[in-house]
Amino acid sequence: MATLRPPRSVSSRDSSDGSERLDGAGSWDALEWTKIEGHGVVLVNRDEAGTLFVTNFRLLFLVVKNQSAARQIDRSPSRRLLQIIGKDMRIIVFGFRPRTKQRRVIFDALLRCAKPARIWDLYAFTCGPSKFSKPNSKVRLLNEYFRLLGKGSHCASVSMVEEGSFTLSNDLWRISNTNSNYTVCSSYPFALIVPKSISDEEVIQASTFRARCRIPVVSWCHPGTGAVLGRSAQPLVGLMMNMRSNADEKLVASLCTQLVDGKGSRRKLYIADARPRKHALANGAMGGGSESSSNYLYSEIVFFGIDNIHAMRESFARLRDYLDTHGAASSDGMSSFLRHGGSTWGGGNLSSMSASVSTLGDSGWLIHVQSVLAGSAWIAARIALESASVLVHCSDGWDRTSQLVSLANLMLDPYYRTFAGFQALVEKDWLAFGHPFSDRIGMPSVSGTSFDLTRQSSTGNLSSSPVRQSSGSFTPQTSNTSHAQNNYSPIFLQWVDCVSQLLRVYPFAFEFSSTFLVDFLDCVLSCRFGNFLCNSEKEREKCGIYEACGCLWAYFADLRSLEGSSHAHYNLFYDPLKHNGPIFPPAAALAPTLWPQFHLRWACPSESQAGELEAESRSMAIKFSELQKAKEAAEMKAKEYSVAMETLKAELRNEKRLSSSAVNLAQRASKESAAIKRAILSLGCRVNYTSNGDCTVDVESNPTGSQEKSIQSPPRKESDGTMERDDNSDLSVSVTVVSDDVSSSPLGQVCETLCPLRTRDGSCQWPSAGCAQLGCQFVGLKANFDAFDHLSIYDSYFES
């Protein structure tokens, strides 16, 4: 055995998969390496020799090139075999050289890494702080409680948790902080939703009558009808079923609020016991049992007949062996089509077809999945269709109860079928309510205990394949521990399998895809993140999980943010408007099938690619999205061009209007100028315009006579001060007006030149001027000759 830090290599799973990126939870410096190399290690599944690395995160096998000669030597029957069974249904067999300690070194390294003595030795802790962190889960739980009570406008905070100021309520239900220090129930969350009519003292009294003090509490409430879905553990009625608790009966009766039908009638309460009836009665011998409808008013007891964790563990092991034996390739490296020779199908001849199907049925896995689905659909229908309340429990209220309650929530509330809602659902009904993940997945807990790594007798005989019959093969000894001492069971995996079945039946109802569920399970089982470590919220807080470990939800959110809606975790067919209410799968639709992406990915790789169609659809969706973006960009450009065209058109219209106005003004000025000229000419005057803008007006008294004569002497002045005109002499007056402020308009120039009635300051007094009063018109064709005869010419007119 050697400790080293090799270069990053490819794992048995495609390294391009986003969920396998190591930087999601730490660095390679945190890995502990055990290396066995050379041609002595053979991966029997693929008949390849190479180098084997065992780390505290995963197992790596690097294939050595040019190995054909070495493999021929190592194919001898005397090689030592080591079979490794994964929790993801993968079975791997390695062959080692005989008379070496290679196999023992690898086995010890696997025990050390997969079954550490302390929880703090897991990779999630040793990798150090992660960039994928998330606020305290208590804050997220309170926000979900606020949403359920219709108080979504409130936002929880760490200070609210520390101060205990989160006890909000509505008309029927309230959030209690009686378990804030986990003194009432160590496996329950710090906050509980209970009936508003029940005091904290009554909650504490009722806890003594339920197994592990897991009292009836509200998991989900219907926003319209007031019906609730509750959960608890079994009541401690005893062998004779004669033990009672007034506090417990009052608490359960409080779940039966009045119906909102205007009649004041009481709603019905169903108490759903997930166990078979005989198991419930057997639990009475140990102090447990089930309720009696005579003690709980308005109630009806229903048994679902779902088996316990030990039956699920055995069923899962049989399914795994079935897939390994009848898959396209077995862990012994032999194709199932060639196993028995002759005409074969699925690991046997044609006559064994029915036997193979029978073997799958004998595993019981699909039957168990169907039972969970049927029970959850029944619960959802009672709440949505009958407006009845349902209280669910099993023995301890953290395995089958969590499956049924969370799956019914998924059917009832479309919010839980989104990414954010799915996270809230898992954190509420699985993590907060104390599903023992460490025990069920097989991880060390706070107390340092974990499940036995050795294979149980219930998983079948290893001699089912030729490799397992090889002489010298190494098989761990069957554990003699009882079922009660082995708490490993794929309860959570089975629930995710049920979710995948619903996703198959309702492909438009879920925002996430089957790929997301597979990656989600892989991360749960890998110890990469701290979310699913320990057995309860109290233990996770004690270990400082949220400060020391990375968060799976933040990691997935980061992956999706990099690619947007084109990421493989998004369901291409999701339509929130198509299923915006409860979904009730009918019985005919509840017949489950194997989950190809998870169950068949190792035994039948090509057949498991039911996602190929999805991948092709995703590729088309990406292209469509790109075309859509290009279309939007083109439409935006077209809109910009349209706006520019409208602007130019407006400017052009404005220019045309201005041009037309200028033309009209010019025409008007021309007409006025022509009219003035005609008027002046009619008076015997001649108007001359110079290029510099000066205006000269020559006024002649005898336009037909000689125009060469000009009177130079001023007119005589009478004694009364008036000017006397000489009628006998020719009058030739030349008036030149030059002014700096002369108007550029010809009309203005003529008016200012000819007007004798202007004031001394030169301003025009029109229309109150004397010219208007005398009826003198300088504009038009009519001339007032009488006024012109009285026109007096002053010396001031000739001032320069």
Side-chain angles (χ1 to χ4, degrees):
M1 180 178 67
T3 303
L4 48 85
R5 181 187 174 187
R8 185 170 181 173
S9 57
V10 180
S11 68
S12 58
R13 182 174 180 177
D14 185 4
S15 62
S16 64
D17 190 341
S19 65
E20 284 294 319
R21 295 187 305 173
L22 185 61
D23 57 1
S27 66
W28 289 83
D29 297 329
L31 296 181
E32 299 176 2
W33 299 85
T34 299
K35 176 183 178 183
I36 299 294
E37 61 181 329
H39 298 303
V41 182
V42 176
L43 177 60
V44 178
N45 302 60
R46 300 179 181 176
D47 195 21
E48 295 174 337
T51 302
L52 180 62
F53 296 93
V54 178
T55 76
N56 58 345
F57 176 55
R58 58 179 161 188
L59 202 64
L60 300 176
F61 183 80
L62 302 183
V63 178
V64 178
K65 296 182 179 179
N66 301 324
Q67 55 181 328
S68 58
R71 273 206 314 270
Q72 293 298 327
I73 299 175
D74 293 328
R75 292 170 72 96
S76 60
S78 60
R79 61 182 176 179
R80 298 295 183 260
L81 302 179
L82 178 63
Q83 184 187 62
I84 301 174
I85 301 175
K87 300 169 188 175
D88 59 354
M89 308 199 69
R90 182 167 22 178
I91 299 178
I92 302 174
V93 178
F94 289 104
F96 300 90
R97 291 177 177 175
R99 295 181 297 277
T100 65
K101 296 182 179 180
Q102 291 179 335
R103 184 176 58 166
R104 173 55 62 180
V105 169
I106 293 297
F107 181 76
D108 292 341
L110 284 172
L111 286 178
R112 183 175 63 255
C113 294
K115 186 183 176 183
R118 306 179 308 160
I119 188 175
W120 294 277
D121 294 330
L122 292 172
Y123 174 76
F125 286 95
T126 59
C127 69
S130 171
K131 66 178 181 179
F132 299 110
S133 59
K134 199 86 170 178
N136 196 304
S137 63
K138 292 184 176 181
V139 174
R140 301 196 293 274
L141 179 64
L142 284 180
N143 284 328
E144 176 59 15
Y145 279 176
F146 295 163
R147 187 190 74 88
L148 292 175
L149 295 184
K151 305 290 182 179
S153 59
H154 293 75
C155 185
S157 62
V158 176
S159 60
M160 183 182 294
V161 175
E162 294 174 349
E163 297 170 2
S165 57
F166 50 81
T167 55
L168 302 182
S169 64
N170 59 15
D171 296 337
L172 299 176
W173 320 105
R174 68 181 181 91
I175 303 176
S176 171
N177 61 358
T178 185
N179 197 43
S180 58
N181 295 322
Y182 308 105
T183 54
V184 176
C185 179
S186 61
S187 59
Y188 261 12
F190 74 105
L192 303 171
I193 299 181
V194 297
K196 191 175 183 179
S197 59
I198 300 297
S199 65
D200 288 343
E201 291 74 14
E202 291 172 320
V203 169
I204 296 174
Q205 293 176 9
S207 65
T208 60
F209 189 69
R210 294 282 168 170
R212 303 185 184 274
C213 300
R214 297 174 64 90
I215 59 173
V217 293
V218 176
S219 173
W220 185 83
C221 48
H222 196 288
T225 64
V228 296
L229 174 57
R231 60 179 299 166
S232 69
Q234 64 179 340
L236 303 180
V237 296
L239 180 61
M240 304 303 296
M241 299 184 64
N242 56 357
M243 302 296 294
R244 299 181 61 179
S245 169
N246 293 332
D248 182 78
E249 292 174 10
K250 181 180 179 181
L251 177 57
V252 173
S254 299
L255 300 178
C256 305
T257 57
Q258 289 185 350
L259 289 171
V260 289
D261 55 1
K263 300 179 181 179
S265 56
R266 203 81 172 177
R267 76 175 69 248
K268 189 173 184 178
L269 172 67
Y270 291 96
I271 300 179
D273 194 327
R275 303 166 294 179
R277 183 188 296 270
K278 60 180 181 180
H279 290 181
L281 296 176
N283 273 269
M286 298 179 289
S290 187
E291 296 86 351
S292 173
S293 57
S294 60
N295 297 333
Y296 294 87
L297 300 179
Y298 308 103
S299 66
E300 179 181 340
I301 315 299
V302 181
F303 293 92
F304 286 164
I306 302 175
D307 286 325
N308 59 21
I309 62 172
H310 311 295
M312 300 303 175
R313 179 177 63 247
E314 295 174 358
S315 175
F316 185 71
R318 287 194 296 267
L319 175 64
R320 183 178 56 219
D321 286 344
Y322 164 80
L323 294 174
D324 183 56
T325 303
H326 300 284
S330 179
S331 59
D332 59 8
M334 179 180 294
S335 171
S336 62
F337 294 95
L338 304 177
R339 187 177 303 282
H340 301 291
S343 299
T344 61
W345 174 86
N349 52 37
L350 294 179
S351 61
S352 65
M353 183 182 299
S354 58
S356 175
V357 175
S358 177
T359 303
L360 174 61
D362 290 342
S363 69
W365 181 259
L366 297 181
I367 299 299
H368 295 316
V369 170
Q370 185 179 27
S371 298
V372 177
L373 283 169
S376 302
W378 186 92
I379 293 171
R382 299 288 79 74
I383 294 176
L385 301 181
E386 294 184 14
S387 298
S389 293
V390 180
L391 174 64
V392 184
H393 70 75
C394 51
S395 296
D396 295 320
W398 55 34
D399 290 311
R400 289 164 284 191
T401 301
S402 296
Q403 287 180 323
L404 293 169
V405 169
S406 56
L407 206 58
N409 279 337
L410 201 69
M411 296 178 184
L412 287 167
D413 197 336
Y415 170 69
Y416 292 133
R417 300 193 285 269
T418 65
F419 283 111
F422 186 79
Q423 174 185 342
L425 178 65
V426 172
E427 289 191 316
K428 172 174 66 76
D429 282 309
W430 288 92
L431 293 169
F433 277 97
H435 175 70
F437 277 97
S438 287
D439 293 343
R440 299 298 181 260
I441 297 178
M443 301 177 188
S445 62
V446 176
S447 59
T449 61
S450 65
F451 85 114
D452 195 341
L453 186 68
T454 55
R455 187 171 181 173
Q456 300 301 309
S457 58
S458 61
T459 60
N461 193 339
L462 286 179
S463 61
S464 59
S465 67
V467 171
R468 298 164 191 160
Q469 298 173 357
S470 302
S471 60
S473 63
F474 176 79
T475 303
Q477 296 297 321
T478 301
S479 173
N480 293 324
T481 57
S482 65
H483 280 168
Q485 295 172 325
N486 185 358
N487 291 321
Y488 167 75
S489 186
I491 298 299
F492 188 69
L493 185 153
Q494 187 180 58
W495 178 76
V496 178
D497 192 348
C498 293
V499 176
S500 74
Q501 304 292 340
L502 288 179
L503 177 58
R504 175 180 58 85
V505 177
Y506 299 98
F508 300 99
F510 294 83
E511 185 182 14
F512 46 83
S513 65
S514 182
T515 302
F516 166 77
L517 295 177
V518 174
D519 291 342
F520 173 65
L521 269 181
D522 285 343
C523 287
V524 171
L525 299 173
S526 67
C527 296
R528 296 174 64 186
F529 304 97
N531 303 76
F532 297 90
L533 299 180
C534 303
N535 288 327
S536 65
E537 180 182 275
K538 178 182 179 181
E539 290 186 6
R540 280 184 287 274
E541 182 176 338
K542 179 179 179 180
C543 294
I545 293 292
Y546 305 107
E547 294 78 14
C549 304
C551 178
L552 177 146
W553 310 112
Y555 173 61
F556 279 160
D558 180 71
L559 288 181
R560 294 193 297 270
S561 66
L562 296 178
E563 301 181 26
S565 59
S566 61
H567 194 273
H569 287 178
Y570 282 94
N571 179 14
L572 293 175
F573 310 106
Y574 176 57
D575 184 0
L577 299 179
K578 189 176 182 65
H579 296 285
N580 58 355
I583 54 176
F584 305 112
L590 290 177
T593 182
L594 289 178
W595 181 12
Q597 291 90 332
F598 185 80
H599 292 145
L600 303 180
R601 57 176 170 166
W602 310 118
C604 308
S606 59
E607 287 74 15
S608 69
Q609 298 306 317
E612 283 185 356
L613 180 60
E614 183 179 345
E616 187 66 24
S617 301
R618 192 174 301 280
S619 177
M620 295 176 63
I622 294 175
K623 293 180 181 178
F624 177 78
S625 178
E626 294 174 352
L627 292 175
Q628 189 74 14
K629 291 179 181 178
K631 177 187 175 183
E632 292 175 357
E635 289 178 348
M636 187 66 66
K637 278 289 185 184
K639 187 176 181 180
E640 293 176 357
Y641 290 151
S642 177
V643 172
M645 288 287 291
E646 291 297 329
T647 303
L648 291 176
K649 287 181 180 179
E651 293 177 355
L652 181 59
R653 287 192 297 268
N654 188 40
E655 290 293 333
K656 287 182 177 181
R657 186 172 61 254
L658 293 176
S659 176
S660 176
S661 177
V663 170
N664 292 335
L665 289 175
Q667 292 176 351
R668 179 180 177 185
S670 177
K671 292 179 180 180
E672 291 175 351
S673 180
I676 293 174
K677 187 175 181 179
R678 288 193 301 271
I680 294 174
L681 289 176
S682 67
L683 296 176
C685 301
R686 183 174 64 250
V687 181
N688 297 320
Y689 295 99
T690 60
S691 61
N692 60 358
D694 297 340
C695 178
T696 302
V697 179
D698 294 334
V699 182
E700 300 177 357
S701 63
N702 184 15
T704 61
S706 175
Q707 298 180 7
E708 299 294 334
K709 297 179 180 181
S710 174
I711 298 178
Q712 302 296 332
S713 61
R716 296 190 305 269
K717 188 173 184 181
E718 300 295 338
S719 60
D720 58 359
T722 61
M723 300 296 294
E724 183 180 354
R725 177 184 175 189
D726 190 355
D727 297 333
N728 298 323
S729 60
D730 294 334
L731 176 63
S732 178
V733 181
S734 178
V735 181
T736 302
V737 182
V738 181
S739 179
D740 294 338
D741 58 351
V742 175
S743 173
S744 59
S745 171
L747 176 61
Q749 294 175 358
V750 173
C751 182
E752 293 175 1
T753 303
L754 297 179
C755 181
L757 301 175
R758 295 171 63 86
T759 61
R760 293 297 180 181
D761 60 357
S763 60
C764 181
Q765 297 298 319
W766 183 271
S768 62
C771 59
Q773 298 172 4
L774 294 174
C776 179
Q777 299 181 8
F778 289 95
V779 180
L781 300 176
K782 181 179 179 182
N784 191 336
F785 293 98
D786 295 334
F788 190 78
D789 291 338
H790 294 85
L791 179 65
S792 297
I793 301 176
Y794 296 95
D795 294 340
S796 61
Y797 283 34
F798 299 94
E799 293 179 2
S800 56

